[in-house]
Amino acid sequence: GENVEQHPSTLSVQEGDSAVIKCTYSDSASNYFPWYKQELGKRPQLIIDIRSNVGEKKDQRIAVTLNKTAKHFSLHITETQPEDSAVYFCAASIGPSNTGNQFYFGTGTSLTVIP
Amino acid sequence: DAGVIQSPRHEVTEMGQEVTLRCKPISGHDYLFWYRQTMMRGLELLIYFNNNVPIDDSGMPEDRFSAKMPNASFSTLKIQPSEPRDSAVYFCASSLSGSLDEQYFGPGTRLTVT
């Protein structure tokens, strides 16, 4: 089955700097790659996603890049702010398909933005 | 719509006891998912239902775990007997389709087994 690895597990940056979180996956059939932000004690919130037919997607200060050949995708946050502090985790999804959908998640990166 | 509703929000129980977690999906959503989140393993899909029918339960860790969806508006995840390693946050999510991009997560139930 799919194996999603996420690095780093913790990341501290100064306010205003950029943060980059990387994930790798193993199954070339994976075709959808979302990123979630989870604040302490809260539910995961989808913040950006990318599909396998796209190499890059941007939404204001957040961007995601996908390298299908290398099987890795990354989350980029520019001009970080203290409110960006949270746990971020990635996922790789195979589907939809007649045999059902499969989701695999990274173990998360705890991002701290230092004012 | 109030979103996905889970109860209880916190549960503390002793090892060996039965635990039942409850979920009410968003009205009209045909898919319901149960996840477990721990520090060590992150977020794991346990089981999901389509139109009240379990589709994939390969993520259920062992026979102590069971899930039911008796109707379109209610699902339960039961652990019997519970063990300390079951301590985690359990999320329920629902969606119109089965894909990840349309899932709405509930607030989660934090389970502590002592």
Side-chain angles (χ1 to χ4, degrees):
Chain A
E2 176 69 279
N3 180 38
V4 176
E5 294 189 358
Q6 183 171 345
H7 300 281
S9 57
T10 59
L11 178 61
S12 292
V13 299
Q14 291 291 138
E15 182 177 359
D17 288 350
S18 296
V20 180
I21 303 169
K22 299 180 180 180
C23 285
T24 61
Y25 61 100
S26 59
D27 194 332
S28 56
S30 292
N31 56 7
Y32 176 67
F33 308 91
W35 283 91
Y36 295 85
K37 176 182 181 181
Q38 188 175 22
E39 297 176 348
L40 189 62
K42 300 291 181 65
R43 74 196 76 188
Q45 298 275 7
L46 178 68
I47 56 172
I48 196 167
D49 55 12
I50 193 167
R51 299 190 184 275
S52 57
N53 59 347
V54 176
E56 182 175 359
K57 184 176 179 180
K58 190 173 182 180
D59 182 3
Q60 299 182 345
R61 296 186 297 108
I62 296 173
V64 56
T65 58
L66 171 65
N67 183 327
K68 288 192 296 182
T69 303
K71 297 194 186 70
H72 67 72
F73 55 111
S74 300
L75 177 70
H76 305 253
I77 307 174
T78 59
E79 302 172 23
T80 54
Q81 302 167 2
E83 51 264 40
D84 294 331
S85 297
V87 173
Y88 293 81
F89 57 92
C90 62
S93 173
I94 302 171
S97 71
N98 292 331
T99 56
N101 300 296
Q102 301 167 50
F103 318 130
Y104 302 89
F105 295 86
T107 50
T109 296
S110 178
L111 173 65
T112 301
V113 180
I114 304 166
Chain B
D1 198 314
V4 177
I5 299 172
Q6 290 187 247
S7 65
R9 294 294 310 278
H10 302 274
E11 177 80 34
V12 180
T13 190
E14 292 184 347
M15 181 175 64
Q17 296 297 307
E18 176 182 301
V19 175
T20 300
L21 311 181
R22 297 173 176 80
C23 176
K24 181 181 185 332
I26 293 173
S27 178
H29 281 191
D30 293 331
Y31 287 82
L32 183 140
F33 306 82
W34 281 102
Y35 293 92
R36 177 175 67 177
Q37 186 177 41
T38 61
M39 290 291 292
M40 290 298 295
R41 300 172 67 90
L43 195 65
E44 301 172 281
L45 176 64
L46 300 177
I47 185 172
Y48 77 93
F49 295 83
N50 179 21
N51 291 322
N52 314 336
V53 176
I55 301 300
D56 185 353
D57 64 355
S58 59
M60 296 286 263
E62 48 198 277
D63 293 344
R64 298 184 297 107
F65 285 69
S66 63
K68 294 182 180 179
M69 192 164 186
N71 57 62
S73 60
F74 183 66
S75 177
T76 60
L77 178 67
K78 184 178 293 187
I79 308 172
Q80 181 184 20
S82 58
E83 296 182 3
R85 60 194 170 116
D86 301 331
S87 297
V89 179
Y90 291 81
F91 287 101
C92 175
S94 71
S95 68
L96 280 171
S97 72
S99 59
L100 196 53
D101 58 341
E102 297 179 350
Q103 285 188 28
Y104 292 82
F105 283 85
T109 295
R110 181 172 294 278
L111 172 65
T112 302
V113 183
T114 60

PDB file of all heavy atoms in Angstrom, chain A residues 16-29:
ATOM      1  N   GLY A  16       7.855  36.325   9.218  1.00  0.00           N
ATOM      2  CA  GLY A  16       8.265  36.949   7.970  1.00  0.00           C
ATOM      3  C   GLY A  16       9.091  36.040   7.071  1.00  0.00           C
ATOM      4  O   GLY A  16       9.169  36.264   5.856  1.00  0.00           O
ATOM      5  N   ASP A  17       9.701  35.020   7.669  1.00  0.00           N
ATOM      6  CA  ASP A  17      10.465  34.064   6.876  1.00  0.00           C
ATOM      7  C   ASP A  17       9.539  33.052   6.217  1.00  0.00           C
ATOM      8  O   ASP A  17       8.338  33.004   6.501  1.00  0.00           O
ATOM      9  CB  ASP A  17      11.486  33.335   7.757  1.00  0.00           C
ATOM     10  CG  ASP A  17      12.642  34.228   8.162  1.00  0.00           C
ATOM     11  OD1 ASP A  17      12.757  35.350   7.606  1.00  0.00           O
ATOM     12  OD2 ASP A  17      13.429  33.813   9.043  1.00  0.00           O
ATOM     13  N   SER A  18      10.110  32.234   5.355  1.00  0.00           N
ATOM     14  CA  SER A  18       9.342  31.191   4.681  1.00  0.00           C
ATOM     15  C   SER A  18       9.481  29.855   5.403  1.00  0.00           C
ATOM     16  O   SER A  18      10.481  29.615   6.082  1.00  0.00           O
ATOM     17  CB  SER A  18       9.807  31.041   3.232  1.00  0.00           C
ATOM     18  OG  SER A  18       9.555  32.209   2.487  1.00  0.00           O
ATOM     19  N   ALA A  19       8.487  29.010   5.233  1.00  0.00           N
ATOM     20  CA  ALA A  19       8.514  27.654   5.795  1.00  0.00           C
ATOM     21  C   ALA A  19       8.209  26.671   4.676  1.00  0.00           C
ATOM     22  O   ALA A  19       7.327  26.922   3.848  1.00  0.00           O
ATOM     23  CB  ALA A  19       7.490  27.511   6.913  1.00  0.00           C
ATOM     24  N   VAL A  20       8.955  25.578   4.671  1.00  0.00           N
ATOM     25  CA  VAL A  20       8.749  24.545   3.663  1.00  0.00           C
ATOM     26  C   VAL A  20       8.635  23.189   4.352  1.00  0.00           C
ATOM     27  O   VAL A  20       9.464  22.838   5.192  1.00  0.00           O
ATOM     28  CB  VAL A  20       9.914  24.484   2.647  1.00  0.00           C
ATOM     29  CG1 VAL A  20       9.656  23.388   1.617  1.00  0.00           C
ATOM     30  CG2 VAL A  20      10.095  25.838   1.977  1.00  0.00           C
ATOM     31  N   ILE A  21       7.601  22.468   4.017  1.00  0.00           N
ATOM     32  CA  ILE A  21       7.367  21.123   4.559  1.00  0.00           C
ATOM     33  C   ILE A  21       7.257  20.162   3.381  1.00  0.00           C
ATOM     34  O   ILE A  21       6.580  20.473   2.393  1.00  0.00           O
ATOM     35  CB  ILE A  21       6.075  21.082   5.390  1.00  0.00           C
ATOM     36  CG1 ILE A  21       6.128  22.121   6.519  1.00  0.00           C
ATOM     37  CG2 ILE A  21       5.844  19.689   5.964  1.00  0.00           C
ATOM     38  CD1 ILE A  21       4.807  22.330   7.232  1.00  0.00           C
ATOM     39  N   LYS A  22       7.924  19.010   3.498  1.00  0.00           N
ATOM     40  CA  LYS A  22       7.980  18.081   2.383  1.00  0.00           C
ATOM     41  C   LYS A  22       7.364  16.735   2.718  1.00  0.00           C
ATOM     42  O   LYS A  22       7.479  16.250   3.843  1.00  0.00           O
ATOM     43  CB  LYS A  22       9.434  17.884   1.956  1.00  0.00           C
ATOM     44  CG  LYS A  22      10.106  19.149   1.484  1.00  0.00           C
ATOM     45  CD  LYS A  22      11.555  18.900   1.076  1.00  0.00           C
ATOM     46  CE  LYS A  22      12.203  20.195   0.602  1.00  0.00           C
ATOM     47  NZ  LYS A  22      13.608  20.008   0.194  1.00  0.00           N
ATOM     48  N   CYS A  23       6.736  16.155   1.723  1.00  0.00           N
ATOM     49  CA  CYS A  23       6.173  14.813   1.861  1.00  0.00           C
ATOM     50  C   CYS A  23       6.569  13.967   0.655  1.00  0.00           C
ATOM     51  O   CYS A  23       6.644  14.486  -0.465  1.00  0.00           O
ATOM     52  CB  CYS A  23       4.658  14.851   1.972  1.00  0.00           C
ATOM     53  SG  CYS A  23       4.062  15.397   3.584  1.00  0.00           S
ATOM     54  N   THR A  24       6.825  12.706   0.915  1.00  0.00           N
ATOM     55  CA  THR A  24       7.057  11.757  -0.163  1.00  0.00           C
ATOM     56  C   THR A  24       6.014  10.660  -0.097  1.00  0.00           C
ATOM     57  O   THR A  24       5.458  10.377   0.973  1.00  0.00           O
ATOM     58  CB  THR A  24       8.457  11.122  -0.065  1.00  0.00           C
ATOM     59  OG1 THR A  24       8.550  10.407   1.187  1.00  0.00           O
ATOM     60  CG2 THR A  24       9.545  12.175  -0.118  1.00  0.00           C
ATOM     61  N   TYR A  25       5.729  10.080  -1.238  1.00  0.00           N
ATOM     62  CA  TYR A  25       4.765   8.993  -1.286  1.00  0.00           C
ATOM     63  C   TYR A  25       5.337   7.877  -2.142  1.00  0.00           C
ATOM     64  O   TYR A  25       6.298   8.072  -2.885  1.00  0.00           O
ATOM     65  CB  TYR A  25       3.411   9.483  -1.832  1.00  0.00           C
ATOM     66  CG  TYR A  25       3.438  10.026  -3.242  1.00  0.00           C
ATOM     67  CD1 TYR A  25       3.033   9.249  -4.323  1.00  0.00           C
ATOM     68  CD2 TYR A  25       3.835  11.334  -3.490  1.00  0.00           C
ATOM     69  CE1 TYR A  25       3.034   9.751  -5.605  1.00  0.00           C
ATOM     70  CE2 TYR A  25       3.845  11.843  -4.775  1.00  0.00           C
ATOM     71  CZ  TYR A  25       3.435  11.055  -5.828  1.00  0.00           C
ATOM     72  OH  TYR A  25       3.449  11.554  -7.104  1.00  0.00           O
ATOM     73  N   SER A  26       4.747   6.700  -2.042  1.00  0.00           N
ATOM     74  CA  SER A  26       5.349   5.543  -2.703  1.00  0.00           C
ATOM     75  C   SER A  26       4.530   5.018  -3.880  1.00  0.00           C
ATOM     76  O   SER A  26       5.089   4.407  -4.796  1.00  0.00           O
ATOM     77  CB  SER A  26       5.561   4.420  -1.680  1.00  0.00           C
ATOM     78  OG  SER A  26       4.324   4.040  -1.088  1.00  0.00           O
ATOM     79  N   ASP A  27       3.220   5.239  -3.848  1.00  0.00           N
ATOM     80  CA  ASP A  27       2.368   4.641  -4.869  1.00  0.00           C
ATOM     81  C   ASP A  27       2.118   5.633  -6.008  1.00  0.00           C
ATOM     82  O   ASP A  27       1.499   6.675  -5.807  1.00  0.00           O
ATOM     83  CB  ASP A  27       1.042   4.218  -4.236  1.00  0.00           C
ATOM     84  CG  ASP A  27       0.237   3.291  -5.139  1.00  0.00           C
ATOM     85  OD1 ASP A  27       0.389   3.374  -6.373  1.00  0.00           O
ATOM     86  OD2 ASP A  27      -0.558   2.492  -4.605  1.00  0.00           O
ATOM     87  N   SER A  28       2.591   5.287  -7.191  1.00  0.00           N
ATOM     88  CA  SER A  28       2.440   6.191  -8.330  1.00  0.00           C
ATOM     89  C   SER A  28       0.978   6.374  -8.743  1.00  0.00           C
ATOM     90  O   SER A  28       0.654   7.261  -9.528  1.00  0.00           O
ATOM     91  CB  SER A  28       3.246   5.676  -9.524  1.00  0.00           C
ATOM     92  OG  SER A  28       2.848   4.356  -9.846  1.00  0.00           O
ATOM     93  N   ALA A  29       0.090   5.541  -8.211  1.00  0.00           N
ATOM     94  CA  ALA A  29      -1.336   5.695  -8.519  1.00  0.00           C
ATOM     95  C   ALA A  29      -1.974   6.830  -7.733  1.00  0.00           C
ATOM     96  O   ALA A  29      -3.094   7.254  -8.050  1.00  0.00           O
ATOM     97  CB  ALA A  29      -2.075   4.384  -8.224  1.00  0.00           C
TER      98      ALA A  29
END
